[in-house]
């Protein structure tokens, strides 16, 4: 996959092993039209295949992570238009990214924007972040996973309020209810999120990938099946050079050097 692609709606860069994808439609509060989501997924898949990248960071700007799917683009759509549009399928492709994906959220994360953040593996929130699924205000419901991921993250009672009454969660509420990993000062949110992602990026790549797969399985399977999967993945890691290296480094009191093999 080429790294020379020109993007119109996002900015991409690499920093300290972190592949950074930044939504860049500030005038529309980073509303997610089909072109923007297409570019986001292209960039995520590009970084997923890039050996220099250990962790991916998805962010917006200070005012908005993303204020939702682009209402202007959807306003006159028919069900068949929606069905033939790859837009919602992009969230499924995000699920298939194997490297850890961190969302750095400042300002609005609404509708599809909240769904995009929740489809990431972890969320670092600025104290200004506002999470919500306000689709009810425009006569629809969330369509990119919001009802399912919000209910799993914060529980049924609060998810009902968010989906049925358009209630926003502040950053502190999101932290309290387990939607985000941490809340950081507004002026530092991106720096802190990059630091957080860089720490993960420096870890053993195969173990990262399998650890993510195992935790995600907890949402898809019975406890018994999840435990069986975890055990198989754990045993599989004993076939990697990084397992030998990590344990030898611990025993000899030296830093490990990961090969991703
Ligand atoms: N789609 C398209 N344009 C949007 C947008 C969206 N989701 N959200 C904001 N914008 C645009 C506005 O139309 C406006 O553009 P113009 O200057 O051309 O009029 C610009 O961004 C700035 O927005 P506001 O003037 O409204 O800014 P505000 O500070 O007064 O309000 C806000 C901010 C509360 C976030 C408000 O913009 C808002 O309510 N946005 C819509 C939020 C929403 O309903 N999101 C859900 C979308 S549906 C969805 O996401 C479906 C799904 O599950 C996939």
């Amino acid at each position: 996959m080429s790294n020379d692609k020109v993007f119109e709606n996002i900015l991409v860069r690499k920093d300290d092993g972190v592949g950074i994808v930044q939504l860049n439609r500030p005038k529309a509060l980073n509303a997610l039209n089909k072109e923007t989501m297409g570019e986001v997924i292209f960039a995520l898949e590009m970084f997923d295949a890039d050996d220099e990248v250990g962790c991916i960071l998805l962010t917006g700007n200070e005012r908005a992570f993303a204020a939702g799917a682009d209402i202007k683009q959807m306003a006159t759509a028919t069900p068949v238009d929606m069905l033939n549009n790859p837009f919602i399928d992009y969230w499924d492709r995000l699920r298939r990214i194997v490297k850890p994906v961190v969302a750095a959220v400042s300002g609005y994360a609404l509708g599809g924007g909240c769904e995009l953040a929740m489809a990431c593996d972890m969320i670092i929130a600025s104290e200004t972040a506002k999470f919500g699924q306000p689709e009810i205000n425009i006569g629809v419901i969330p369509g990119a996973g919001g009802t399912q991921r919000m209910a799993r993250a914060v529980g049924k009672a609060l998810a009902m309020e968010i989906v049925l009454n358009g209630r926003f969660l502040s950053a502190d509420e999101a932290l309290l209810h387990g939607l985000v990993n941490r809340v950081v000062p507004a002026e530092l949110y991106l720096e802190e999120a990059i630091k957080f992602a860089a720490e993960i990026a420096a870890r053993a790549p195969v173990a990262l990938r399998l650890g993510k797969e195992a935790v995600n399985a907890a949402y898809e399977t019975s406890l018994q099946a999840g435990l069986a999967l975890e055990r198989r993945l754990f045993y599989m890691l004993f076939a990697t050079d990084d397992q030998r290296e990590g344990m030898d480094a611990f025993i000899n009191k030296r830093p490990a050097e990961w090969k991703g093999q």
Side-chain angles (χ1 to χ4, degrees):
M1 206 175 280
S2 161
N3 278 350
D4 301 329
K5 182 169 163 76
V6 176
F7 297 108
E8 287 176 12
N9 302 286
I10 62 170
L11 302 171
V12 296
R13 66 188 166 100
K14 288 190 251 183
D15 184 350
D16 208 6
V18 181
I20 302 171
V21 181
Q22 181 174 12
L23 295 159
N24 191 31
R25 291 187 76 209
K27 285 191 187 137
L29 301 185
N30 289 333
L32 302 167
N33 59 16
K34 139 176 126 188
E35 295 76 17
T36 304
M37 274 308 290
E39 290 186 3
V40 166
I41 295 304
F42 184 99
L44 293 176
E45 290 174 348
M46 179 181 84
F47 284 139
D48 211 25
D50 184 337
D51 288 342
E52 289 175 8
V53 169
C55 184
I56 303 171
L57 186 74
L58 180 57
T59 192
N61 58 44
E62 280 167 32
R63 187 159 173 229
F65 175 74
D70 192 316
I71 299 169
K72 292 167 189 166
Q73 206 171 56
M74 282 185 306
T76 58
T78 67
V80 175
D81 292 336
M82 295 303 283
L83 193 67
N84 288 336
N85 191 326
F87 187 69
I88 298 287
D89 295 336
Y90 286 135
W91 275 260
D92 289 337
R93 278 168 64 185
L94 173 46
R95 269 182 79 199
R96 292 198 288 273
I97 298 291
V98 297
K99 288 178 186 164
V101 184
V102 177
V105 175
S106 175
Y108 296 113
L110 304 179
C114 187
E115 291 166 307
L116 188 60
M118 290 193 294
C120 296
D121 301 310
M122 289 159 279
I123 302 177
I124 302 298
S126 152
E127 56 200 357
T128 65
K130 290 184 192 66
F131 297 88
Q133 298 290 161
E135 288 88 346
I136 195 78
N137 296 330
I138 52 170
V140 292
I141 64 169
T147 60
Q148 303 305 298
R149 290 202 172 93
M150 189 59 85
R152 280 169 168 78
V154 306
K156 176 177 165 181
L158 189 52
M160 285 291 187
E161 220 183 306
I162 291 165
V163 172
L164 303 187
N165 207 18
R167 150 116 139 83
F168 288 0
L169 289 186
S170 68
D172 285 341
E173 286 175 309
L175 183 65
L176 181 69
H177 294 287
L179 186 66
V180 307
N181 291 71
R182 59 187 69 168
V183 178
V184 297
E187 63 282 8
L188 293 177
Y189 89 96
L190 192 54
E191 196 181 318
E192 289 290 326
I194 294 172
K195 242 192 269 170
F196 180 86
E199 212 176 291
I200 294 169
R203 302 195 179 278
V206 185
L208 274 184
R209 175 180 176 161
L210 299 191
K212 169 170 169 165
E213 184 182 337
V215 173
N216 277 335
Y219 288 90
E220 310 280 347
T221 54
S222 65
L223 180 60
Q224 195 180 7
L227 291 172
L229 172 73
E230 179 194 83
R231 196 169 303 184
R232 283 196 298 276
L233 297 179
F234 176 65
Y235 293 158
M236 195 202 285
L237 284 165
F238 284 75
T240 62
D241 293 344
D242 285 347
Q243 174 269 330
R244 295 281 187 269
E245 167 65 9
M247 295 191 183
D248 185 72
F250 173 81
I251 291 164
N252 291 299
K253 301 188 188 303
R254 62 173 177 84
E257 283 180 31
W258 309 121
K259 287 196 210 139
Q261 297 292 324

